[in-house]
């Protein structure tokens, strides 16, 4: 059975803008759903659970940022703001409210698609070759398509950051992932100087995934270099 492409919700009150975005996204292989108001955007976001949301700030029934602040307690769907306002204070306000990225209109389709790929990758959503990625070893199973992690058949709840870190390790299963590469992929470039982030979250992952966290067999330490997920047996 074919795996469905990521679903992207477009929330913008201008029909011509939505049409252009829909055409570009379909050409790139994504599925789309549209909303012209804040309320319909919220309904679609909660009802369809898209992998990503493209959000205009100027909506007829309320500020676009209200969608972000309303959704954040419930879901962590990446949100990319598309706005004609390029002022720094607007960008900061959107990011502080919980948006993941901010793109000023007009923008190129190529840049938008690149931002979408980055947002999906950071969210751990299956994109491109990762749609078929499955990991199974030592009783651990990771299914990025369904975003399910289980151990010996029992589902394991991970926080969004724990999941992002696990997926970063799964992508390099059997190979060493350096401290810097993991910090950058999970937390961004500015986190490279904060290795304690990695120590804390690796400890949390081991507590949830290993039978004996003090003697890990799945998430291995490469002293002075990084960490290595054992080889994928799937």
């Amino acid at each position: 059975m074919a795996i469905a492409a990521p679903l992207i919700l477009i929330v913008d009150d201008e029909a011509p803008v939505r049409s252009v975005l829909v055409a570009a996204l379909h050409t790139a292989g994504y599925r789309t759903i549209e909303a012209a108001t804040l309320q319909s955007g919220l309904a679609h976001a909660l009802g369809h659970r898209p992998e990503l949301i493209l959000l205009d700030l100027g909506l007829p029934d309320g500020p676009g940022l209200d969608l972000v602040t309303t959704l954040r307690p419930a879901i962590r769907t990446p949100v990319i703001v598309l706005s004609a306002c390029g002022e720094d204070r607007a960008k900061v306000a959107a990011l502080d409210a919980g948006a993941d990225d901010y793109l000023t209109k007009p923008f190129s389709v190529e840049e938008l698609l690149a931002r979408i790929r980055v947002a999906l990758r950071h969210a751990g959503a299956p994109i491109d070759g990762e749609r078929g990625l499955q990991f199974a070893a030592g009783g651990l199973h990771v299914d990025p398509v369904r975003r399910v992690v289980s151990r010996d058949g029992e589902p394991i709840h991970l926080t969004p950051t724990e999941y992002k870190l696990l997926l970063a390790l799964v992508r390099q299963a059997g190979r060493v992932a350096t401290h810097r590469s993991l910090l950058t992929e999970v937390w961004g470039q500015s986190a490279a100087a904060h290795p304690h982030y990695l120590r804390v979250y690796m400890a949390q992952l081991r507590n949830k995934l290993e039978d004996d966290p003090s003697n890990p067999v799945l998430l291995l330490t490469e002293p002075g270099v990084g960490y290595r997920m054992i080889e994928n047996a799937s």
Side-chain angles (χ1 to χ4, degrees), residues 13-164:
D13 64 329
E14 296 185 39
V17 173
R18 296 199 307 273
S19 296
V20 170
L21 291 174
V22 166
L25 292 170
H26 285 184
T27 299
Y30 297 105
R31 296 178 297 139
T32 61
I33 188 169
E34 301 175 52
T37 65
L38 172 62
Q39 291 305 315
S40 61
L42 284 169
H44 284 322
L46 294 171
H48 295 275
R49 293 297 177 106
E51 275 78 22
L52 184 137
I53 299 171
L54 298 178
L55 174 66
D56 180 45
L57 295 181
L59 300 174
D61 56 340
L65 284 186
D66 284 358
L67 182 144
V68 181
T69 56
T70 301
L71 288 181
R72 277 299 171 248
I75 59 176
R76 284 298 309 170
T77 304
V79 176
I80 299 178
V81 169
L82 307 179
S83 175
C85 180
E87 295 182 1
D88 287 347
R89 62 181 181 180
K91 297 178 181 179
V92 171
L95 296 172
D96 283 347
D100 297 85
D101 203 351
Y102 191 108
L103 199 53
T104 303
K105 299 176 182 177
F107 48 80
S108 69
V109 170
E110 290 76 13
E111 182 177 8
L112 174 61
L113 294 176
R115 300 286 186 100
I116 288 172
R117 289 193 295 270
V118 169
L120 290 175
R121 185 163 60 246
H122 285 177
I127 58 173
D128 303 329
E130 291 176 5
R131 292 180 190 166
L133 175 65
Q134 297 284 321
F135 178 88
L140 175 66
H141 184 258
V142 182
D143 182 351
V145 174
R146 294 165 47 219
R147 302 190 194 185
V148 172
V149 178
S150 61
R151 181 77 196 277
D152 297 326
E154 293 295 324
I156 297 173
H157 172 73
L158 299 179
T159 68
T161 301
E162 290 168 349
Y163 181 77
K164 286 163 65 177

Side-chain angles (χ1 to χ4, degrees), residues 132-209:
L133 175 65
Q134 297 284 321
F135 178 88
L140 175 66
H141 184 258
V142 182
D143 182 351
V145 174
R146 294 165 47 219
R147 302 190 194 185
V148 172
V149 178
S150 61
R151 181 77 196 277
D152 297 326
E154 293 295 324
I156 297 173
H157 172 73
L158 299 179
T159 68
T161 301
E162 290 168 349
Y163 181 77
K164 286 163 65 177
L165 177 56
L166 178 62
L167 205 61
L169 290 161
V170 164
R171 292 189 188 105
Q172 300 190 60
R175 295 175 292 168
V176 176
T178 66
H179 295 131
R180 178 175 290 274
S181 69
L182 290 172
L183 285 164
T184 300
E185 181 168 351
V186 178
W187 288 277
Q189 292 286 348
S190 62
H194 301 283
H196 62 281
Y197 292 176
L198 198 51
R199 290 194 297 270
V200 169
Y201 278 90
M202 281 300 299
Q204 292 176 188
L205 273 183
R206 283 171 169 162
N207 283 332
K208 293 183 178 182
L209 303 181

